[in-house]
Amino acid sequence: PEGEHSMFKIAICDDERLYRTLLKNEILSLYTGQDTLYFYEYESGDQLLNSDMEEVDLLFLDIQMPGIDGNAASYEFRKVNQKAILIFCTNYHVPTVENIKAQPFRYIVKDLQNKMLKEELPDILDKLMKDHQDEKLTVTIDGNVFRIPMAEIIYLIVDDRKTKIVYDHQKQVRYIWCREKLKELYPLLDHSEFEYAHNSYIVHLSQIMRIEKKVLTMSNNEILGISRSKAKQFDAAFSRYLSREYRRK
């Protein structure tokens, strides 16, 4: 329902109690969202692995700990939770292949003034909120307002005097026709996810299954071409999208 707030579960796994408290206080002082924050503290990798790890949205994980260290803990954590944002905290550690495999969003080096923590936390909290936003596109259909989750949109295309939106809702491809023009909708879309492939259509980059030459195969198996006039703009947007996805992985 509109206006309903959710909650975020933040786990801090560090053998230094003072650092856990500091981290929690810094998060609370910076957080500007409306959602409720729940904190879970663990002083060892063993404690973390014996918790409900699949419920965690954000994990701060110390790499050097007695017993099961952060490397081993992150490996086990990712087996049950791929969606959480993972932050490695370390005194001096250089990232290893094992660290990278765990898909961390950031490394925070513990310094005396916690300068790096303070620099990185706004981005981390912004990602936490953005990852959980149910972003929707608001359009008008026969005088009625309709809100469609952007994640479901496959592409938008000019159709006569309307814009046809092709989307996938619960694994069923659906179509709606709205009165807003494509050029009016484009500024409302996330430009890291959507781009013009042609003057008459905008595609959702994450819904592209295949590109061969200048032909796109979309997730609903429809074929769309990339026009010569939009090729440069589209290629640049898709390259940025792929590089972001690669960094996440």
Side-chain angles (χ1 to χ4, degrees):
E2 292 290 327
E4 185 177 292
H5 301 315
S6 55
M7 59 183 182
F8 295 132
K9 295 184 176 180
I10 300 172
I12 304 170
C13 183
D14 195 299
D15 58 336
E16 297 176 49
R17 185 176 59 81
L18 284 174
Y19 192 76
R20 296 197 306 268
T21 304
L22 169 97
L23 191 45
K24 182 178 171 181
N25 290 339
E26 286 290 339
I27 291 168
L28 288 170
S29 70
L30 284 172
Y31 184 67
T32 56
Q34 300 297 311
D35 305 292
T36 307
L37 301 182
Y38 287 93
F39 290 92
Y40 301 85
E41 294 184 35
Y42 308 101
E43 59 184 14
S44 69
D46 303 77
Q47 280 189 3
L48 173 69
L49 298 185
N50 285 306
S51 68
D52 292 328
M53 294 187 291
E54 62 273 9
E55 299 295 319
V56 173
D57 297 303
L58 172 60
L59 170 62
F60 291 87
L61 183 58
D62 188 14
I63 292 179
Q64 296 90 21
M65 290 184 291
I68 296 176
D69 66 7
N71 281 329
S74 68
Y75 178 76
E76 295 300 323
F77 177 78
R78 280 298 188 217
K79 284 183 182 177
V80 297
N81 189 329
Q82 291 83 42
K83 67 176 176 61
I85 301 165
L86 171 61
I87 312 298
F88 277 126
C89 304
T90 175
N91 286 314
Y92 52 83
H93 193 74
V94 176
T96 65
V97 172
E98 278 65 35
N99 298 155
I100 294 162
K101 281 181 182 172
Q103 303 165 28
F105 178 64
R106 288 286 191 276
Y107 289 87
I108 292 177
V109 177
K110 299 176 183 178
D111 47 44
L112 286 173
Q113 276 78 40
N114 295 296
K115 189 176 169 213
M116 192 171 184
L117 173 65
K118 289 171 182 173
E119 284 173 359
E120 296 288 359
L121 263 184
D123 274 356
I124 292 165
L125 295 177
D126 184 58
K127 179 165 175 60
L128 179 67
M129 290 186 279
K130 194 173 180 190
D131 280 3
H132 289 79
Q133 277 175 351
D134 186 15
E135 293 182 332
K136 293 184 179 177
L137 181 66
T138 303
V139 295
T140 313
I141 303 167
D142 299 329
N144 297 313
V145 172
F146 187 86
R147 299 178 76 238
I148 177 168
M150 290 198 200
E152 295 183 354
I153 297 173
I154 301 172
Y155 67 91
L156 309 89
I157 187 167
V158 174
D159 190 0
D160 196 14
R161 294 186 180 181
K162 294 188 175 183
T163 298
K164 175 184 173 184
I165 301 176
V166 182
Y167 66 107
D168 185 333
H169 182 68
Q170 296 178 347
K171 301 196 174 176
Q172 276 198 322
V173 177
R174 303 185 182 193
Y175 310 88
I176 56 169
W177 284 262
C178 66
R179 76 174 188 198
E180 286 82 4
K181 297 190 184 305
L182 212 56
K183 66 182 180 184
E184 295 169 342
L185 296 174
Y186 182 65
L188 306 177
L189 298 166
D190 180 350
H191 293 172
S192 68
E193 294 275 341
F194 290 86
E195 190 51 79
Y196 277 99
H198 188 284
N199 281 332
S200 62
Y201 47 84
I202 296 166
V203 300
H204 192 171
L205 301 176
S206 71
Q207 298 287 338
I208 297 169
M209 296 294 104
R210 186 178 178 191
I211 298 183
E212 192 167 352
K213 295 178 181 173
K214 293 297 176 189
V215 177
L216 306 173
T217 304
M218 305 304 293
S219 60
N220 63 338
N221 291 319
E222 284 194 63
I223 305 295
L224 299 172
I226 303 169
S227 70
R228 190 177 299 173
S229 65
K230 294 294 182 185
K232 190 174 178 183
Q233 177 182 334
F234 179 83
D235 288 348
F238 194 60
S239 294
R240 287 193 299 272
Y241 167 77
L242 287 179
S243 67
R244 274 193 311 277
E245 288 301 299
Y246 181 74
R247 282 203 302 274
R248 284 178 196 164
K249 290 177 172 68

